[in-house]
């Protein structure tokens, strides 16, 4: 893809953000129901949300930093910036300036916002939050990696913060739009981590009043909420009395509860449920692909059989992907040949026929040449070692259709001589397997606004774990050329030059045979037609600050 294609893609994606990942976009009329534009909003009522994602172990998104936390915390935590057309715009920060050398960022803040515990939002609060994210004791991963360039945060007056950076960081303002670096009450942060995990305090439209572990989190309206304006949320105060956030891991039960009216919104919708919603009028589908990385398989080049590039290439050619996506996802997902989500302006799409075509003959030839010979059971061996590939799968993050796709890939790999051992694990066990380097291939969704996600995922520095113990470079790619490209892109303000650097980096990463792209990270939320004015955030989570229910 040449640069003019990158620029065209940027324009296309900026337009698509009006329907997907731009912060706080009204999406109630996506399909099916969702209410009409002439409906008159009414106040009151409690919205019931049913999540199929893993129940967070901590409700403070600074700690760890995964997507289930983002889903919940979007309701009670707000950010310094928002996104509009893929560009940072004011939220809790009203404006900013960058020094000529790019190493000093000055933020001016709102002076009319208060945390729900009565603590004022000010420069001291921003400093406390940045220090909290960067403190190793917090055990942050997503937030920590996003704020790595900040060496010091200083409150230069009550509503001005000066950030000293180790390097220019063209992605920092984008990063500030994410809940993993959202603003929490400094008074609440002084509590023990266990206490703050139970009930973090933000400035958002709702506040937490209870958490019954294994069942639900209860939130009530923040009557004193200060709307951040049209570009960063809503111009109205919250209309709902509250939200009951339930954890229902079984997809059939979630959908049945939505159909019966026991719940109002569900996530992790299955393809057949999405198709049924589009055909009817009582349920609407919010289709909001996540920004950042695509769904992909990472091949561990630092461990086991995949240290050999030829074996990695054989695995990629042995994987039969397209038929499974077609049959299992029923048109709700499209094959990707990109490292990045289709909503990312700098996404580069490779030539699928050249790099990722299913070619069993080519896979067999590569393995033959590498010395792997088929045994009587069809599995190849070399020097007494079986061609075994360990594949841990998170049952919390992979919907049943995706797990079935992995099983189909497993079968196609067996046909060329790989013994792919799929191990279905809960989220905690899955993280533990990765931390222990007990994997050869893994599907590891990673959500971060902007192409800088590539630096987090593929710079060799990311092989070193964050304070949480999680390391993001699961391909364990160690390529100085890729490192240089990604570091230069992170320090380049010019859009044209950034686009060229990110494109070349993506080409080099794809050519390394350490990644097999599959499709965009799926984000479908099914909403009762009685629920109106649901919006989405920069990281494509639903936001209910302006929502209302017509009972």
């Amino acid at each position: 893809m040449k640069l003019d294609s990158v620029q065209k893609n940027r324009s296309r994606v900026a337009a698509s953000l009006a329907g997907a990942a731009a912060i706080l976009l009204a999406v109630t009329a996506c399909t099916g129901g969702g209410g009409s534009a002439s409906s008159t909003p009414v106040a009151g009522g409690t919205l019931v949300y049913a999540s199929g994602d893993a129940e967070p172990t901590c409700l403070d998104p600074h700690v760890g930093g995964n997507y289930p936390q983002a889903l919940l915390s979007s309701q009670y935590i707000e950010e310094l910036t928002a996104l509009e057309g893929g560009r940072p715009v004011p939220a809790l920060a009203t404006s900013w300036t960058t020094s000529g050398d790019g190493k000093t960022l000055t933020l001016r803040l709102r002076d009319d916002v208060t945390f729900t515990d009565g603590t004022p939002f000010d420069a001291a609060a921003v400093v406390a939050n940045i220090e909290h994210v960067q403190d190793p004791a917090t055990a942050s991963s997503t937030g920590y990696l996003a704020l790595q360039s900040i060496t010091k945060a200083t409150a230069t007056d009550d509503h001005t913060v000066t950030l000293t950076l180790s390097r220019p960081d063209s992605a920092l303002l984008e990063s500030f739009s994410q809940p993993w670096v959202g603003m929490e009450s400094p008074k609440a942060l002084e509590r023990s981590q266990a206490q703050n995990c139970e009930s973090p305090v933000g400035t958002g439209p709702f506040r937490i009043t209870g958490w019954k572990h294994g069942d639900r989190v209860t939130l009530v309206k923040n009557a004193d909420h200060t709307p951040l304006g049209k570009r960063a949320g809503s111009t109205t105060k919250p209309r709902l009395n509250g939200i009951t956030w339930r954890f229902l891991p079984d997809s059939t039960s979630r959908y049945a509860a939505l159909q019966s009216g026991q719940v109002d919104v569900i996530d992790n919708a299955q393809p057949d449920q999405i198709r049924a919603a589009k055909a009817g009028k009582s349920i609407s589908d919010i289709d909001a692909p996540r920004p950042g990385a695509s769904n992909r398989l990472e091949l561990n080049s630092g461990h086991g059989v995949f240290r050999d590039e030829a074996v990695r290439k054989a695995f990629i050619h042995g994987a039969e992907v397209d038929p499974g996506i077609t049959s299992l996802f029923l048109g709700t997902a499209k094959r990707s040949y990109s490292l990045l989500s289709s909503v990312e302006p700098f996404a580069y799409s490779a030539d699928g026929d050249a790099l990722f075509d299913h070619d069993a003959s080519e896979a067999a030839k590569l393995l033959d040449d590498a010395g792997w010979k088929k045994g009587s059971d069809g599995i190849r061996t070399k020097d007494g070692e079986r061609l075994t590939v360990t594949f841990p799968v998170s049952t919390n993050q992979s919907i049943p259709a995706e797990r079935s796709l992995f099983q189909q890939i497993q079968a196609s790999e067996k046909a060329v001589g790989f013994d792919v051992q799929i191990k279905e694990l809960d989220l905690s066990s899955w993280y533990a397997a990765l931390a222990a380097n007990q994997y050869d291939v893994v599907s590891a969704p990673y959500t971060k606004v902007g192409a800088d996600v590539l630096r987090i995922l593929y710079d060799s520095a990311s092989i070193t774990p964050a304070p949480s113990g999680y390391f993001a470079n699961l391909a364990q790619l160690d390529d100085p050329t890729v490192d240089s490209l990604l570091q230069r892109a992170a320090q380049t303000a010019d859009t044209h030059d950034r686009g060229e650097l990110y494109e070349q980096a993506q080409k080099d990463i794809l050519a390394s045979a350490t990644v097999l792209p599959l499709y965009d990270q799926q984000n479908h939320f099914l909403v009762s037609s009685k629920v109106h004015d649901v919006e989405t955030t920069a990281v494509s989570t639903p936001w209910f600050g302006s929502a209302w229910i017509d009972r």
Side-chain angles (χ1 to χ4, degrees):
M1 182 184 291
K2 298 186 181 298
L3 185 63
D4 58 349
S5 298
V6 173
Q7 291 170 325
K8 288 177 182 177
N9 195 31
R10 180 178 177 85
S11 298
R12 175 184 63 78
V13 172
S16 75
L17 285 172
I23 189 160
L24 300 191
L25 163 72
V27 289
T28 53
C30 287
T31 60
S36 65
S38 61
S39 299
T40 301
V42 295
T46 297
L47 181 140
V48 182
Y49 184 102
S51 180
D53 253 308
E55 180 178 4
T57 56
C58 175
L59 301 185
D60 174 4
H62 292 181
V63 179
N66 58 31
Y67 205 73
Q69 289 174 308
L71 284 167
L72 247 171
S73 64
S74 295
Q75 316 312 321
Y76 48 84
I77 288 176
E78 295 176 320
E79 295 79 26
L80 291 173
T81 65
L83 290 186
E84 186 178 78
R87 296 176 180 273
V89 296
L92 288 173
T94 60
S95 63
W96 43 82
T97 55
T98 304
S99 63
D101 65 1
K103 293 185 177 181
T104 303
L105 176 64
T106 302
L107 301 169
R108 279 165 287 281
L109 311 174
R110 292 189 67 127
D111 60 5
D112 58 348
V113 175
T114 302
F115 292 98
T116 56
D117 64 359
T119 305
F121 168 74
D122 56 15
V126 174
V127 172
N129 274 266
I130 290 172
E131 291 178 347
H132 185 245
V133 170
Q134 293 187 322
D135 184 351
T138 302
S140 172
S141 58
T142 308
Y144 176 87
L145 294 169
L147 302 187
Q148 280 179 305
S149 64
I150 301 174
T151 58
K152 187 176 182 181
T154 305
T156 46
D157 64 40
D158 285 350
H159 294 95
T160 305
V161 174
T162 299
L163 303 179
T164 304
L165 312 181
S166 60
R167 57 171 173 80
D169 188 347
S170 59
L172 186 56
L173 289 169
E174 295 175 348
S175 294
F176 277 136
S177 71
Q178 303 175 127
W180 303 290
V181 294
M183 296 294 106
E184 302 181 33
S185 164
K187 180 180 178 181
L189 291 178
E190 291 175 355
R191 301 176 297 177
S192 70
Q193 185 174 101
Q195 288 177 300
N196 204 60
C197 280
E198 288 288 315
S199 57
V201 177
T203 63
F206 300 94
R207 59 183 177 86
I208 297 170
T209 58
W211 181 10
K212 183 179 179 182
H213 291 256
D215 183 21
R216 67 190 64 199
V217 173
T218 305
L219 304 101
V220 299
K221 175 171 64 176
N222 172 15
D224 297 322
H225 179 247
T226 301
L228 298 184
K230 185 177 180 181
R231 292 193 301 177
S234 172
T235 57
T236 69
K237 286 187 176 290
R239 294 158 172 157
L240 297 169
N241 287 338
I243 302 172
T244 299
W245 197 280
R246 297 179 59 190
F247 302 106
L248 292 178
D250 181 72
S251 60
T252 302
S253 299
R254 279 197 312 279
Y255 187 58
L258 177 65
Q259 288 179 304
S260 68
Q262 296 178 64
V263 305
D264 302 301
V265 184
I266 66 171
D267 60 30
N268 282 30
Q270 308 304 308
D272 59 328
Q273 298 165 359
I274 297 167
R275 188 166 66 174
K278 291 181 177 181
K281 295 183 178 180
S282 62
I283 298 171
S284 64
D285 167 36
I286 297 176
D287 181 3
R290 299 184 196 177
S294 64
N295 258 12
R296 68 223 177 280
L297 297 184
E298 305 273 20
L299 280 60
N300 186 349
S301 63
H303 168 80
V305 298
F306 285 147
R307 285 176 291 188
D308 186 340
E309 182 179 349
V311 177
R312 298 198 303 270
K313 288 182 176 179
F315 184 89
I316 287 172
H317 286 301
E320 191 168 20
V321 177
D322 291 8
I325 291 178
T326 300
S327 63
L328 295 168
F329 287 88
L330 307 176
T332 63
K334 182 180 178 182
R335 178 68 195 275
S336 171
Y337 298 103
S338 176
L339 297 169
L340 295 176
S341 165
S342 63
V343 303
E344 289 297 344
F346 292 128
Y348 164 79
S349 185
D351 181 348
D353 291 337
L355 290 175
F356 303 114
D357 61 320
H358 173 58
D359 188 337
S361 297
E362 176 65 14
K365 182 178 185 305
L366 286 163
L367 292 172
D368 286 340
D369 292 347
W372 292 93
K373 305 302 179 184
K374 273 195 173 183
S376 58
D377 62 353
I379 302 303
R380 292 176 182 264
T381 60
K382 180 180 179 181
D383 299 329
E385 178 186 3
R386 285 172 65 85
L387 189 54
T388 300
V389 172
T390 301
F391 185 1
V393 174
S394 165
T395 55
N396 299 111
Q397 296 181 117
S398 291
I399 64 172
E402 183 173 76
R403 299 204 295 274
S404 294
L405 174 64
F406 295 158
Q407 291 167 2
Q408 291 191 12
I409 292 173
Q410 177 188 42
S412 67
E413 297 291 1
K414 184 176 182 180
V416 299
F418 283 95
D419 178 17
V420 178
Q421 298 184 0
I422 294 176
K423 298 183 177 181
E424 295 195 346
L425 305 170
D426 61 38
L427 190 59
S428 295
S429 301
W430 181 80
Y431 277 128
L434 303 191
N437 205 24
Q438 294 174 349
Y439 70 96
D440 296 297
V441 64
V442 67
S443 169
Y446 199 98
T447 303
K448 182 191 184 299
V449 173
D452 186 58
V453 69
L454 295 168
R455 179 185 58 82
I456 289 174
L457 294 176
Y458 300 109
D459 190 309
S460 62
S462 291
I463 298 175
T464 302
S468 66
Y470 180 78
F471 63 97
N473 186 346
L474 294 170
Q476 298 193 27
L477 181 64
D478 188 355
D479 185 330
T481 300
V482 170
D483 291 351
S484 176
L485 288 166
L486 295 175
Q487 290 161 15
R488 287 161 56 198
Q491 299 179 42
T492 300
D494 183 82
T495 301
H496 178 280
D497 293 343
R498 284 183 77 201
E500 287 190 327
L501 290 165
Y502 279 130
E503 179 180 336
Q504 187 57 55
Q506 290 173 84
K507 287 180 177 179
D508 289 354
I509 296 166
L510 291 168
S512 73
T514 57
V515 188
L516 175 60
L518 299 175
Y519 45 84
D520 277 351
Q521 290 189 63
Q522 296 294 287
N523 237 22
H524 287 273
F525 304 96
L526 297 187
V527 183
S528 165
S529 60
K530 295 179 179 180
V531 178
H532 307 255
D533 293 349
V534 180
E535 302 177 355
T536 56
T537 70
V539 294
S540 299
T541 57
W543 185 81
F544 302 110
S546 59
W548 56 281
I549 304 176
D550 182 6
R551 293 296 190 191

